[in-house]
Amino acid sequence: MRRAAVAALALAVVLPVAACGGSSGPSGGGDGDKTLTLWHMEQPPNRVAAFQKVIDAYNATNPEYKVQAQVQDWNQIYTKISSAVQSKTQPDILFTIPDFTTYVRPLGAVRPVTSLVEELDKEHTFGDAAKAAYRDDDQYWAVPLYGMVQMLWYRKDLFAKAGITEAPKTWSQLLDDAKKLTSGNQKGIAVPAGKNLATDQVIYSLMLTGGAGNFFTDSGQVAFDKPQTVAALSLYADLLKQSPSDAGNYSWGEPQAAFNSGAAAMAIEKGQYLAPFEKESGRPASDLGCAPIPQADTGGQPGSIYYSNAAMVLSPDDARAKGAEDFLRFVLKPENYGQFLNAEPGLFLPLTEDGATAPSWTDNEVIKKYQGCVDAMLEQSKTGGLFGFVDGQYVDSIGKVSGQNILAQVVQRVYSNGESPAAAVKWGQQQMQEAVSR
């Protein structure tokens, strides 16, 4: 499909140069600097530490360019990278997701990595879904690194107390079970309603299982306002009634905390629920249940939001870009890849054939303990999708939509403002049209 051109700095918000790490080049060290700066948005301390171990191992090989990580925030990265590119202080390597890539590319600093991706594909074999969302104009614009998919998580012990014997498979069963599980201080489910990417992701998973995952036409026009979208939002509004009262402030961490404490019996999220479950819940691993996300009773289909996370190369010259590519080669070697994925076991899923069987990943204690859920997530990945990239699309204006969390704002208009789902969806349609037309 043909896409309208995106103005290079359409959404750029100028921030002080000092906020982006200096003004003497991408890593703030001047033209002779031999340090590559890597920006990632995985803030939890365990992920930061695990990524650092991989970086330290690479730097110990004594490469010409050593790597230094700087941790960023998803809630600020859109404006921060715009400012950094304008001031020529962008990082050499920037971790990304497909819609974010469509936002960064028009800023003018992203280098194509087609030959590297093809080389790595021959050596390690990427799955098709890992690569597809990063290919446009006959080029690859990022190197796939790890996958993420959502599941329905449920507390088997709380299900048993409520007399529920199996995970819900349909929307009506999901809502009925949420109501049965809501009693006293315990809520049936915890879903987020804050203006953030976490809310975007959960509502989109339900949109996918309700047949509303594609909200663009073949020509790239917004087609968000349709009955399937209203139905998904109506379900979400009903689920919020069975969620904790402060769900309007929830992002990723709060539903997980409610789930582990027993304040909520279900949640829809990615695989970060595995590693801390026993310690934070005080329950055995056997009490953690996982299942595919329930489907609409009529016209439903399997699905979940799915991310192929990747790395863009933004180095300003060929020598630095080669150094960045050498680091990414190192990460994807099977003996290193498991250490990288196990920054959050179960959340970060392998995207290569040899990575999925590498002992550096499969021997991890969490992966072995929850093998059933890990296998279920890998299976769920086969039917995953992402707004702007379903049905073979590459909508290069989708970053303007996701960057404003319009999906989450639609949820908030129902939850906080009391609007009807139909009215909120109509507002979302208008906002998306305005965003992509800028």
Side-chain angles (χ1 to χ4, degrees):
M1 58 181 288
R2 303 304 303 168
R3 283 90 50 196
V6 181
L9 299 178
L11 293 182
V13 178
V14 178
L15 298 178
V17 170
C20 297
S23 57
S24 301
S27 57
D31 293 338
D33 183 61
K34 294 290 187 177
T35 300
L36 301 176
T37 301
L38 181 156
W39 282 8
H40 71 79
M41 284 65 76
E42 300 296 344
Q43 296 178 307
N46 58 301
R47 301 178 199 173
V48 174
F51 282 179
Q52 190 59 50
K53 286 184 68 174
V54 176
I55 291 170
D56 289 344
Y58 174 72
N59 289 340
T61 67
N62 198 31
E64 179 181 3
Y65 289 91
K66 294 190 175 183
V67 175
Q68 181 182 70
Q70 294 180 4
V71 184
Q72 307 298 328
D73 187 335
W74 270 117
N75 293 323
Q76 300 174 6
I77 192 61
Y78 283 80
T79 51
K80 191 166 185 179
I81 190 59
S82 296
S83 176
V85 172
Q86 289 181 59
S87 60
K88 301 187 185 303
T89 58
Q90 73 270 14
D92 296 280
I93 303 168
L94 175 62
F95 281 18
T96 189
I97 52 180
D99 47 318
F100 182 51
T101 304
T102 69
Y103 174 84
V104 180
R105 274 183 59 197
L107 302 177
V110 182
R111 301 174 69 106
V113 287
T114 307
S115 60
L116 177 61
V117 171
E118 291 174 347
E119 169 197 324
L120 293 170
D121 197 13
K122 289 180 181 178
E123 184 174 357
H124 305 297
T125 310
F126 289 116
D128 290 340
K131 301 178 295 182
Y134 295 107
R135 187 169 181 85
D136 185 45
D137 294 336
D138 296 323
Q139 298 274 18
Y140 287 109
W141 297 95
V143 178
L145 291 180
Y146 54 99
M148 292 179 175
V149 70
Q150 288 189 334
M151 303 289 288
L152 175 71
W153 302 97
Y154 63 98
R155 290 282 298 265
K156 292 182 179 179
D157 53 324
L158 302 182
F159 267 48
K161 288 180 182 179
I164 303 172
T165 59
E166 62 180 6
K169 296 180 175 62
T170 66
W171 283 5
S172 60
Q173 291 171 355
L174 174 63
L175 184 57
D176 286 346
D177 287 350
K179 291 176 179 178
K180 291 177 185 177
L181 291 159
T182 298
S183 177
N185 293 327
Q186 177 185 297
K187 298 296 184 179
I189 193 168
V191 292
K195 182 187 172 183
N196 49 53
L197 185 57
T199 304
D200 291 344
Q201 291 174 350
V202 179
I203 182 60
Y204 186 69
S205 284
L206 293 172
M207 289 172 61
L208 276 170
T209 61
N214 187 350
F215 51 84
F216 287 92
T217 67
D218 289 344
S219 59
Q221 301 300 307
V222 177
F224 183 71
D225 187 2
K226 52 190 176 183
Q228 296 94 326
T229 311
V230 175
L233 184 59
S234 297
L235 172 66
Y236 205 87
D238 288 338
L239 293 175
L240 280 165
K241 294 174 184 176
Q242 311 305 321
S243 293
S245 59
D246 55 346
N249 298 318
Y250 278 11
S251 182
W252 287 284
E254 295 85 357
Q256 185 172 5
F259 181 84
N260 286 341
S261 71
M266 293 186 289
I268 296 174
E269 245 307 325
K270 298 181 287 296
Q272 69 266 35
Y273 277 44
L274 298 181
F277 177 73
E278 287 183 294
K279 180 179 179 181
E280 295 185 5
S281 69
R283 302 295 304 180
S286 58
D287 278 349
L288 178 61
C290 60
I293 296 172
Q295 304 174 28
D297 295 72
T298 302
Q301 59 190 44
S304 162
I305 196 166
Y306 175 76
Y307 285 105
S308 168
N309 292 254
M312 293 180 286
V313 176
L314 278 66
S315 299
D317 60 71
D318 293 344
R320 297 183 71 87
K322 181 182 181 302
E325 292 186 354
D326 286 344
F327 171 71
L328 297 174
R329 288 187 181 94
F330 179 87
V331 170
L332 285 166
K333 291 182 181 295
E335 61 268 28
N336 306 320
Y337 194 33
Q339 177 66 51
F340 178 81
L341 294 172
N342 290 328
E344 194 66 76
L347 172 63
F348 299 160
L349 300 174
L351 296 180
T352 61
E353 285 188 4
D354 57 3
T357 59
S360 62
W361 183 63
T362 60
D363 287 350
N364 180 272
E365 179 182 348
V366 173
I367 300 301
K368 290 193 293 185
K369 183 181 299 183
Y370 296 102
Q371 189 66 58
C373 284
V374 171
D375 290 344
M377 285 188 286
L378 292 173
E379 185 65 25
Q380 180 81 87
S381 298
K382 297 176 182 178
T383 56
L386 182 63
F387 34 75
F389 301 94
V390 294
D391 301 331
Q393 291 179 327
Y394 188 102
V395 179
D396 53 11
S397 57
I398 189 61
K400 297 179 178 182
V401 173
S402 62
Q404 296 184 55
N405 302 115
I406 293 177
L407 289 179
Q409 290 190 64
V410 167
V411 170
Q412 286 189 319
R413 292 181 77 86
V414 175
Y415 181 68
S416 301
N417 299 354
E419 283 191 9
S420 70
V425 167
K426 188 174 295 294
W427 177 88
Q429 169 84 19
Q430 295 170 343
Q431 294 301 303
M432 291 181 187
Q433 289 174 332
E434 291 178 11
V436 302
S437 67
R438 294 191 186 109

